[in-house]
Amino acid sequence: MQAFLQNLLNGIAVGAIYALIALGYTMVYGILKLINFAHGDVFMLGSFVGYYAGRFAIAHMQDTSGTWTSWFVAGAIMLLAMMTCGLFGYLNERIAYRPLRNAPRIASLITAIGVSFFLEYGGQFVFGPDPKFFPELVEKHVLQFGGITTTNYQLIVLVVAIIFMAILQYIVYGTKFGRAMRAVSFSYESASLMGIPTDRIISLTFVLGSALAAVAGILQGLSYPKIDPLMGILPGLKAFVAAVLGGIGNVPGAVVGGLLIGVIESFVSGSRFSNFTPAIAFVILIGILLFRPSGLFGKYEAEKV
Amino acid sequence: MKRLPWWLRDLIYGAIFIAVLIGASYGMDAIHIAGIAYYQRIVVLMGINIILAVSLNIINGHAGQFSLGHAGFMAIGAYFAAFLTYFYFAPYVNRFPAGTEQWVLQNALLLVAVLLGGALAALAGYLVGLPSLRLRGDYLAIVTLGFGEIIRVVILNIDKIGAARGFTGIPNWANFFWVYLFCGITILISWRLVQSSVGRAFLAIREDEIAAEAMGVDATKYKVKAFIIGSFMAGVSGGLFAHFMMYLNPDMFRFLRSFEVVVMVVLGGLGSISGSIVAAIILTYLPEGLRLAKPFLHIEKDPRMVIYSIMLIVLMLTRPQGLLGRRELWQVLKRRKDAPKEEPDAAARN
Amino acid sequence: MCAHSLQGIAVMRPNFLKSFTIIAAVLLAGCPPKSEVGGGGGGNAANSGGDILIGEYGSLTGAQATFGQSTHNAIMMAVDEINGTGGINGRKIKVITEDDQSKQEEAANAVTKLISQNGVLAILGEVASSNSLAAAPICQSNKVPMITPSSTNPEVTKKGDYIFRVCFTDDYQGENIARYAATQLHIKRAAILTDVKNDYSTGLTTTIERVFTSLGGQIVAKQSYSNGDSDFRSQLTAVRTQNPEAIFVPGYYTDVGQIAIQARDLGMKQPLLGGDGWESPKLIEIGGKALEGSMYTNHYFYADPTPVVRNFVQRYRDRYGAIPDGMAALGYDAAHVLADAIKRAKKLDGPSLRDAIAATRNFQGVTGTINIGPDRNAVGKKIIIEEVKNGQLALKATIEPTASATPTATAAQ
């Protein structure tokens, strides 16, 4: 039982990070029907921004670990990462995706792959391919309760993830912008006819998604300090599977999908079949697409001629 | 002179082609210029990439399905052919003393191994295609990527064929002749296919699947066919690759390789056979050219992948149809020769 | 696919094709076979009385870059030392280095280029066994001797009689760490955490399991992960329930550090035991306090007071500003073994050099005494067991060849 709960907790903590990335995928797909292959690498970018900012902060400030200041600094770094990635998301959309809005989808897909590889290998070129060690922004404490051992990092991840998901939920369902986003994802033409500045809304979607990916990147760097330029590939793919699992285009679905994937992975890698963990996400993906392509919460849309 | 029947014409062309190949093969062996071995190696690798690109072009270009898992089929062909050779064929062949008989047997068994590798890959293509091809473009891409990875992870866990250690000791039976012979066969199949009724069905599906279905074309059946043919050739290229490299490792068949083949097909022009060939040649040479140019460019790190990705993005933004678009090289050259006033029509028709 | 055609989008630019062809032609023409980097002849370029050409291939970029860089640095230092004292019989050694980007195919291409384009006499490389395995058949078929400094997979030297190694094999180190754990640390119950994507790790796992259980130990948990994973908690949780006394982690340092941290996070106190894949200046930086009390087998100990090690460490430090790791030490030894063999070789061609390397006996290297055995491996090399103590690497034990057990069936090739 103890192992079960421990695995569950681990799975949820990992899944929360997947969920944050999945939100970006699902929002962009909902609006543009585009799989933004490069999204996983925006997550990586967030981690690296955090790495360099964190090192700068530690080098230029006195040792403030354990105090309120360190939380403040961590928060500032997260904000910086969010802004950087948001900016990147905006530029990405403007430069690489917008010109291809009316092109067949395969062109956008290939471009997205190109941007993804550009970030990965450009990252290797610029940052170096060797793994880097994310600085300890907040002091770590090991906590034990009921036979389960965890660290305050896992709790931070959960809390921060929930906060941002709640913020996103509010934005999408409680603000004018959110309504505009939902309108554009429902029908692009009608929305533009209704006077919604579709280009701006799309840019906003990308910025939001990228900012969330940046949060995920910082949380990842905190929990698993080893970062490298290729770190975004696998989480990106798994987050995409999570988005599909939840029903692509569906915001709460992405969260549920992310948590589910995290938990399933956790149980599989703790079992006898841990050899096959890398393939688990893909098996789930294929399973969903074969048996329930609209995902858990999506609705089936017939393709109209 | 009355036109010969098509099969006789094919036979004659085929015989000429094989004769040329044999001549080139012997010629290459006979040349003893210093440093030529390195270039011979690149030429053979080009051949393998040509087979991969042309076969992917059948799926992505002609049938318009976006497959990102080609490396998985190559892996199946490579490992199965290597398995057959290493465990069954090579021990058998080695029992014969060196001589003509052994040489004939070796080549015959290589042919068998490679074809069986292709067959298994085709079966995999069928199994992958059947469920996946109900899906739309971007989903299909991800699913095929997923299948490619699953295949790789499965191979990684089979100890008999080396798992993570890799499969060593494959005899060096593949050479210029075999690789380019299969190049020729692949190109021939692809060319004939696109002109046949099957090929027309592919093109119809590519252009507008729903309209094609409305016209009575069973889209799924033809998509699966494209997959089977494409993966068969990918398996064949894998088998040849195995017998050329003499070593296999699951790391050689990651998504990166699928991506490289996709870049070749897209660069050449989706749907253009000669485009795929040209792009395969260029992109096989590029890393080696960069390696040779490195002393002059003063860069230590390898910028190849960064260049690829930038090139891909720029290509998609400026000329998404690739180098040759959908036309073949001889059509492009012919168009140049023709009078300029024909261009607007040709462009519209294409 | 929808009704638009890709071609419909872009405006026809007939000049694009022309300009592309021109650019491509220029690029291609600009790279003809150049022979200014070294001898233009075949493998016998060395005979003509110029510099002796040695080829080196390694992972200078890519995932295993630190291994390749260390080895490369040490080789260059060794060669400069040799040239500084007049070279070999008056001729200097020139090293031509090719990067294989940690990829097997590139390793094969790099070696082909070195042999056919540059006409090298011998080849040094690689660290990762899979790259060595890809390159070895090519060296063998061209009769160019290859010495790998650090590939520990037993298969490498089985590729042919021109392939040598100066380090111990995985069989050897796996056996010794298992034996040490069972007999010296008196561990009866252990777990193993394997990196299944890594042949080094899977090979070591098999040997460790076999030897440990043959000595009465019990493997209470076997879990696996993939090189590059970030979360190992599930596997560690499964291990925790079995409560072993120690955990074998025969993987690379990049993952080991994290595994240690997460194990401690889960409240696990067992020491970790591993192999030479842990060897890196970054190990303690990544793992920190979590690695206290953990041990691994290595090829040499950097603080060894014997003069040969001390001088090597000092010179490397002066030249590169860092303490040399095991890969550097092995690279250094490999270069010197090669130079020594070149000196002894009757003629400067492949077959004679091969024989000279095979006859290497009692060569005193930084990593101990090197004797090349009949299977072309360095036999009876001493194994260092290092322990992380107070945030530093400390020497825990030295296993001399005479003290090690009788070779098992696989080790005696």
Side-chain angles (χ1 to χ4, degrees):
Chain A
M1 187 57 181
Q2 194 186 42
F4 177 83
L5 285 177
Q6 183 78 61
N7 278 330
L8 191 63
L9 179 61
N10 292 340
I12 293 179
V14 170
I17 295 182
Y18 290 154
L20 284 170
I21 308 175
L23 283 169
Y25 272 116
T26 216
M27 289 199 301
V28 166
Y29 191 85
I31 274 208
L32 277 184
K33 302 285 180 290
L34 163 76
I35 301 177
N36 183 9
F37 259 99
H39 196 59
D41 303 293
V42 175
F43 157 78
M44 176 271 293
L45 198 62
S47 277
F48 270 87
V49 169
Y51 168 75
Y52 284 110
R55 291 236 310 201
F56 178 85
I58 289 185
H60 286 84
M61 299 170 49
Q62 300 142 328
D63 179 23
T64 55
S65 57
T67 68
W68 287 111
T69 326
S70 79
W71 288 92
F72 179 73
V73 168
I77 291 179
M78 183 174 288
L79 211 59
L80 178 66
M82 286 170 67
M83 291 195 304
T84 314
C85 291
L87 179 64
F88 175 81
Y90 173 75
L91 289 174
N92 187 18
E93 195 269 325
R94 280 305 300 274
I95 299 176
Y97 299 150
R98 187 176 295 186
L100 295 174
R101 214 90 41 92
N102 294 319
R105 270 219 288 284
I106 206 174
S108 320
L109 202 57
I110 295 177
T111 310
I113 297 180
V115 174
S116 167
F117 272 58
F118 173 70
L119 281 176
E120 285 158 21
Y121 291 97
Q124 277 202 334
F125 202 73
V126 169
F127 304 136
D130 48 307
K132 307 248 186 305
F133 183 49
F134 201 84
E136 194 176 292
L137 295 174
V138 172
E139 201 176 327
K140 188 183 346 185
H141 302 288
V142 179
L143 311 160
Q144 283 221 353
F145 49 91
I148 304 179
T149 322
T150 180
T151 64
N152 59 339
Y153 285 168
Q154 283 191 317
L155 295 177
I156 293 176
V157 167
L158 288 175
V159 168
V160 171
I162 291 176
I163 291 177
F164 276 101
M165 288 178 207
I167 294 178
L168 184 74
Q169 184 79 355
Y170 171 69
I171 292 180
V172 172
Y173 288 100
T175 67
K176 207 166 60 165
F177 275 125
R179 211 177 317 149
M181 277 167 58
R182 279 181 286 139
V184 174
S185 76
F186 185 78
S187 168
Y188 184 88
E189 288 89 1
S190 316
S192 65
L193 285 174
M194 290 284 121
I196 291 177
T198 47
D199 280 349
R200 250 193 283 162
I201 296 296
I202 292 177
S203 295
L204 178 72
T205 312
F206 268 86
V207 169
L208 273 180
S210 305
L212 286 174
V215 172
I218 300 286
L219 291 175
Q220 170 91 0
L222 198 62
S223 316
Y224 308 104
K226 184 184 74 149
I227 63 170
D228 72 275
L230 300 183
M231 70 187 274
I233 303 178
L234 227 37
L237 233 37
K238 290 178 193 172
F240 174 71
V241 175
V244 173
L245 175 59
I248 195 139
N250 186 303
V251 167
V255 173
V256 171
L259 293 174
L260 262 179
I261 299 256
V263 168
I264 294 177
E265 238 187 29
S266 184
F267 281 107
V268 168
S269 55
S271 75
R272 283 185 309 124
F273 300 105
S274 43
N275 286 20
F276 294 97
T277 318
I280 269 289
F282 293 113
V283 170
I284 295 176
L285 176 71
I286 292 168
I288 303 172
L289 289 178
L290 291 183
F291 298 114
R292 202 188 154 88
S294 48
L296 290 174
F297 299 107
K299 356 185 256 304
Y300 178 66
E301 283 172 17
E303 194 178 339
K304 304 201 194 100
V305 186
Chain B
M1 178 172 97
K2 196 175 79 162
R3 222 162 162 203
L4 296 167
W6 68 269
W7 50 268
L8 195 55
R9 251 186 301 133
D10 270 1
L11 214 57
I12 295 178
Y13 287 151
I16 297 178
F17 179 61
I18 292 185
V20 167
L21 273 189
I22 294 179
S25 241
Y26 275 112
M28 283 179 68
D29 283 341
I31 300 177
H32 284 301
I33 305 179
I36 202 72
Y38 178 61
Y39 283 92
Q40 289 173 338
R41 188 182 178 81
I42 297 182
V43 167
V44 174
L45 286 174
M46 272 183 199
I48 292 179
N49 280 334
I50 291 177
I51 301 178
L52 280 170
V54 172
S55 59
L56 186 63
N57 187 45
I58 297 177
I59 301 176
N60 284 19
H62 292 148
Q65 304 306 304
F66 200 44
S67 165
L68 286 179
H70 222 50
F73 302 126
M74 184 187 180
I76 292 181
Y79 270 93
F80 191 58
F83 169 78
L84 287 173
T85 304
Y86 185 78
F87 288 107
Y88 301 106
F89 297 165
Y92 180 68
V93 163
N94 288 335
R95 278 194 267 146
F96 289 75
T100 331
E101 201 184 345
Q102 195 206 39
W103 183 86
V104 168
L105 208 53
Q106 173 186 304
N107 279 297
L109 287 177
L110 173 69
L111 188 61
V112 171
V114 164
L115 287 177
L116 285 178
L120 191 64
L123 179 64
Y126 176 71
L127 293 173
V128 167
L130 210 45
S132 322
L133 289 165
R134 300 190 281 139
L135 302 168
R136 244 189 350 220
D138 359 19
Y139 283 135
L140 179 66
I142 301 278
V143 166
T144 48
L145 197 167
F147 269 116
E149 277 298 295
I150 291 178
I151 290 173
R152 198 180 61 84
V153 171
V154 167
I155 292 178
L156 196 59
N157 279 292
I158 302 179
D159 197 67
K160 183 115 176 154
I161 50 178
R165 208 166 46 247
F167 195 141
T168 64
I170 310 170
N172 187 8
W173 285 358
N175 51 23
F176 174 84
F177 173 75
W178 282 113
V179 171
Y180 277 89
L181 179 67
F182 277 105
C183 266
I185 294 177
T186 309
I187 297 173
L188 182 69
I189 291 179
S190 186
W191 178 233
R192 284 288 158 82
L193 196 63
V194 85
Q195 294 181 317
S196 71
S197 61
V198 175
R200 277 203 298 279
F202 286 168
L203 299 182
I205 294 170
R206 173 182 73 192
E207 292 304 320
D208 190 330
E209 187 170 328
I210 298 176
E213 288 252 359
M215 288 283 115
V217 171
D218 182 351
T220 308
K221 177 174 110 173
Y222 282 103
K223 289 197 278 189
V224 171
K225 251 193 206 158
F227 248 69
I228 293 177
I229 298 173
S231 44
F232 175 75
M233 301 311 309
V236 162
S237 85
L240 293 167
F241 180 73
H243 289 87
F244 178 71
M245 290 292 292
M246 298 178 275
Y247 172 69
L248 288 178
N249 190 302
D251 267 354
M252 293 171 172
F253 302 105
R254 315 186 78 124
F255 169 56
L256 191 61
R257 179 177 287 281
S258 293
F259 176 66
E260 283 174 1
V261 184
V262 167
V263 173
M264 287 177 205
V265 174
V266 170
L267 176 63
L270 278 169
S272 166
I273 301 175
S274 44
S276 304
I277 299 173
V278 168
I281 292 176
I282 296 177
L283 292 179
T284 311
Y285 185 77
L286 194 61
E288 300 307 318
L290 277 177
R291 185 202 296 278
L292 291 169
K294 239 188 322 179
F296 309 110
L297 298 178
H298 297 295
I299 30 166
E300 278 94 43
K301 307 192 206 176
D302 175 41
R304 179 168 62 116
M305 287 312 299
V306 184
I307 293 180
Y308 267 24
S309 38
I310 296 180
M311 179 184 77
L312 204 59
I313 300 173
V314 168
L315 198 64
M316 281 293 112
L317 290 176
T318 57
R319 195 184 161 93
Q321 73 271 38
L323 285 174
L324 296 179
R326 281 212 195 122
R327 300 158 303 155
E328 303 295 340
L329 198 55
W330 50 92
Q331 293 168 332
V332 172
L333 298 173
K334 185 167 174 308
R335 196 170 70 85
R336 287 296 160 68
K337 255 190 350 166
D338 290 344
K341 66 170 153 52
E342 285 201 83
E343 270 192 31
D345 291 345
R349 225 180 299 129
N350 281 333
Chain C
M1 276 292 148
C2 44
H4 311 290
S5 70
L6 273 179
Q7 269 190 330
I9 328 160
V11 175
M12 269 308 169
R13 292 197 199 105
N15 288 325
F16 179 92
L17 204 54
K18 208 192 294 180
S19 40
F20 185 90
T21 329
I22 294 176
I23 295 174
V26 165
L27 269 181
L28 293 174
C31 307
K34 289 239 188 317
S35 37
E36 86 296 299
V37 254
N44 296 327
N47 274 337
S48 42
D51 285 350
I52 300 177
L53 299 171
I54 305 292
E56 180 210 351
Y57 71 106
S59 310
L60 299 174
T61 58
Q64 270 91 50
T66 56
F67 292 160
Q69 283 292 152
S70 287
T71 313
H72 174 70
N73 288 346
I75 291 178
M76 297 316 281
M77 186 171 100
V79 166
D80 282 347
E81 279 170 19
I82 297 169
N83 287 341
T85 57
I88 302 180
N89 301 330
R91 294 168 65 179
K92 295 217 191 304
I93 300 181
K94 187 171 154 107
V95 176
I96 303 168
T97 309
E98 285 294 335
D99 176 19
D100 63 16
Q101 304 161 34
S102 313
K103 294 189 195 146
Q104 297 97 6
E105 267 165 78
E106 296 295 329
N109 287 345
V111 164
T112 309
K113 172 187 176 285
L114 287 168
I115 295 178
S116 87
Q117 288 261 285
N118 303 111
V120 297
L121 178 63
I123 301 239
L124 289 171
E126 226 248 27
V127 174
S129 297
S130 47
N131 294 347
S132 295
L133 283 170
I138 298 175
C139 294
Q140 177 66 27
S141 56
N142 282 293
K143 295 204 177 3
V144 173
M146 175 177 125
I147 302 184
T148 165
S150 344
S151 284
T152 47
N153 189 310
E155 284 291 320
V156 175
T157 41
K158 293 190 194 162
K159 289 291 120 213
D161 59 351
Y162 276 76
I163 317 294
F164 298 86
R165 90 172 93 215
V166 294
C167 56
F168 47 64
T169 61
D170 284 336
D171 289 346
Y172 191 68
Q173 74 168 321
E175 186 192 326
N176 276 288
I177 188 75
R179 186 174 302 276
Y180 188 79
T183 55
Q184 303 297 326
L185 298 174
H186 305 295
I187 293 178
K188 297 266 183 306
R189 306 176 65 244
I192 299 189
L193 201 51
T194 311
D195 177 353
V196 287
K197 248 172 54 169
N198 188 343
D199 51 325
Y200 163 80
S201 189
T202 51
L204 268 183
T205 300
T206 315
T207 312
I208 291 175
E209 204 177 346
R210 179 171 46 86
V211 175
F212 191 70
T213 46
S214 78
L215 290 170
Q218 200 196 353
I219 302 287
V220 297
K222 269 184 81 169
Q223 288 291 319
S224 42
Y225 65 95
S226 287
N227 180 286
D229 275 357
S230 49
D231 187 88
F232 308 94
R233 279 175 229 265
S234 340
Q235 292 92 328
L236 288 168
T237 306
V239 166
R240 187 176 70 171
T241 48
Q242 301 298 326
N243 203 19
E245 296 166 69
I247 311 176
F248 288 106
V249 189
Y252 281 159
Y253 69 95
T254 45
D255 301 315
V256 168
Q258 296 235 84
I259 293 175
I261 293 178
Q262 290 175 18
R264 306 303 173 231
D265 284 351
L266 284 170
M268 295 165 77
K269 306 251 190 298
Q270 297 90 341
L272 303 181
L273 304 169
D276 67 336
W278 289 32
E279 170 70 342
S280 161
K282 291 222 163 112
L283 177 70
I284 299 188
E285 184 189 324
I286 299 179
K289 290 199 292 277
L291 283 171
E292 277 298 305
S294 296
M295 304 173 217
Y296 66 102
T297 52
N298 201 358
H299 305 272
Y300 98 123
F301 179 55
Y302 74 95
D304 190 335
T306 54
V308 69
V309 176
R310 228 168 1 120
N311 289 338
F312 166 68
V313 172
Q314 188 62 47
R315 265 177 281 134
Y316 190 95
R317 218 178 184 158
D318 290 340
R319 181 167 163 147
Y320 295 111
I323 297 185
D325 60 11
M327 309 303 159
L330 286 169
Y332 186 79
D333 278 350
H336 274 292
V337 164
L338 181 60
D340 175 74
I342 294 177
K343 209 180 302 193
R344 279 183 286 116
K346 293 202 189 59
K347 276 191 300 173
L348 281 185
D349 64 11
S352 315
L353 182 54
R354 189 220 86 83
D355 293 335
I357 300 176
T360 305
R361 297 280 181 280
N362 280 322
F363 183 91
Q364 299 302 323
V366 173
T367 58
T369 310
I370 300 179
N371 291 302
I372 301 289
D375 50 3
R376 295 172 301 285
N377 294 326
V379 291
K381 285 203 77 182
K382 72 169 192 279
I383 292 192
I384 305 284
I385 300 204
E386 293 186 37
E387 183 187 3
V388 179
K389 228 193 221 163
N390 300 325
Q392 301 254 337
L393 287 175
L395 178 65
K396 177 83 178 172
T398 309
I399 302 181
E400 289 292 346
T402 47
S404 66
T406 50
T408 59
T410 46
Q413 280 134 355

